[in-house]
Amino acid sequence: QVQLVESGGGLVQAGGSLRPSCAASGITVSIYLMAWYRQAPGNQREFVARIFCRGDTNYAESVKGRFTISRDNTKNTVYLQMNSLEPMDTAVYYCNTQRLGTSYWGQGTQVTVSS
């Protein structure tokens, strides 16, 4: 059974940093595509970043140069280092993966950036 558990969100001032994490079980993060999405109030869930099994990454234009996705294979955990945070980054951040045609989501972690 695939389970994704996010943690590490919080409240931070504009310009600050956070590093949410996504602990996975039932899959191996090094061999599956892992991604982060976010959803702000009243908005649709949107793509933020992804990391492929070979380590390649890509990002939404709005976070390029500020966010970095990475993984620790020994902990089976994926991270999202978020720097230079802006109020527009305020959202619930979700971890995502897909296995055998099924998409899995964590419960999300709230990130709030104050101006």
Side-chain angles (χ1 to χ4, degrees):
Q1 181 179 354
V2 177
Q3 193 170 18
L4 304 173
V5 180
E6 300 97 332
S7 61
L11 173 64
V12 65
Q13 288 189 325
S17 299
L18 283 172
R19 192 180 78 148
S21 61
C22 170
S25 58
I27 59 160
T28 302
V29 299
S30 61
I31 63 173
Y32 284 90
L33 173 67
M34 301 296 299
W36 285 95
Y37 287 73
R38 67 186 181 185
Q39 188 167 17
N43 290 0
Q44 289 189 328
R45 195 168 296 188
E46 64 176 7
F47 166 74
V48 175
R50 63 171 65 99
I51 183 165
F52 296 88
C53 59
R54 292 193 295 183
D56 309 62
T57 58
N58 59 36
Y59 299 90
E61 284 298 321
S62 60
V63 307
K64 269 185 184 178
R66 300 188 299 123
F67 290 12
T68 303
I69 187 171
S70 64
R71 67 188 181 213
D72 184 331
N73 296 339
T74 64
K75 296 181 179 179
N76 211 36
T77 297
V78 177
Y79 302 96
L80 185 67
Q81 178 67 47
M82 307 189 297
N83 298 328
S84 302
L85 282 161
E86 304 168 358
M88 59 171 270
D89 297 315
T90 295
V92 178
Y93 284 71
Y94 296 93
C95 186
N96 171 264
T97 192
Q98 297 190 33
R99 181 185 178 199
L100 300 176
T102 299
S103 187
Y104 295 91
W105 298 91
Q107 83 289 351
T109 186
Q110 176 71 47
V111 171
T112 303
V113 185
S114 63
S115 57

